[in-house]
Amino acid sequence: MRTSRRPGASVCGLDAAMDVIGGKWKSSILWALNEHACRFGELRRLLPGVTEKVLASHLREMEADGIVHREVYDEVPPRVEYSLTPLGVALNEALAPLGVWGREHLLGGRDDHHSTTGDRG
């Protein structure tokens, strides 16, 4: 887990949290991994529109921030799974009220993306 502050990071806790989840796909990655561990290809299918390059980059950043765990299995062919760390689970829990607010105030009470899981609003 990252213990030092990022260069130019604010001392404000909200800014620090937004730095970790900033990026178009990071909140969707958190949502997808909240259900279960996923392989890279499964994450790509769950997130239509994300490119391999962006997904790989976001996963590396999230791993460096200590919210995603990357497990490499010693198999042929190689298998890699991504899952949330306890810190990532806590972050998802912290984002749940924000998801509820977005659904109620911006989506008119509906949330097609997350409605089947019941999580994060």
Side-chain angles (χ1 to χ4, degrees):
M1 184 169 92
R2 185 182 302 251
T3 55
S4 62
R5 289 182 38 207
R6 293 179 184 188
S10 172
V11 293
C12 171
L14 185 57
D15 284 348
M18 294 305 292
D19 193 33
V20 170
I21 61 169
K24 180 176 179 179
W25 297 100
K26 287 186 180 179
S27 64
S28 295
I29 293 168
L30 282 167
W31 165 79
L33 293 177
N34 195 53
E35 294 301 306
H36 58 82
C38 293
R39 295 176 73 171
F40 188 87
E42 183 180 4
L43 280 171
R44 282 247 8 239
R45 286 187 296 278
L46 290 171
L47 306 170
V50 69
T51 64
E52 284 188 29
K53 179 180 177 181
V54 169
L55 181 57
S57 173
H58 279 352
L59 286 168
R60 277 192 303 274
E61 290 171 11
M62 295 168 81
E63 184 181 9
D65 287 331
I67 59 175
V68 168
H69 172 72
R70 181 177 186 265
E71 181 77 27
V72 180
Y73 294 89
D74 189 22
E75 299 176 356
V76 177
R79 178 170 58 113
V80 177
E81 286 186 346
Y82 297 90
S83 60
L84 292 181
T85 64
L87 187 62
V89 171
L91 179 56
N92 247 353
E93 291 169 357
L95 290 173
L98 186 60
V100 170
W101 184 91
R103 184 182 69 234
E104 291 175 356
H105 299 283
L106 302 176
L107 296 177
R110 66 171 178 77
D111 188 355
D112 299 332
H113 187 64
H114 299 107
S115 62
T116 59
T117 63
D119 63 333
R120 294 211 8 222

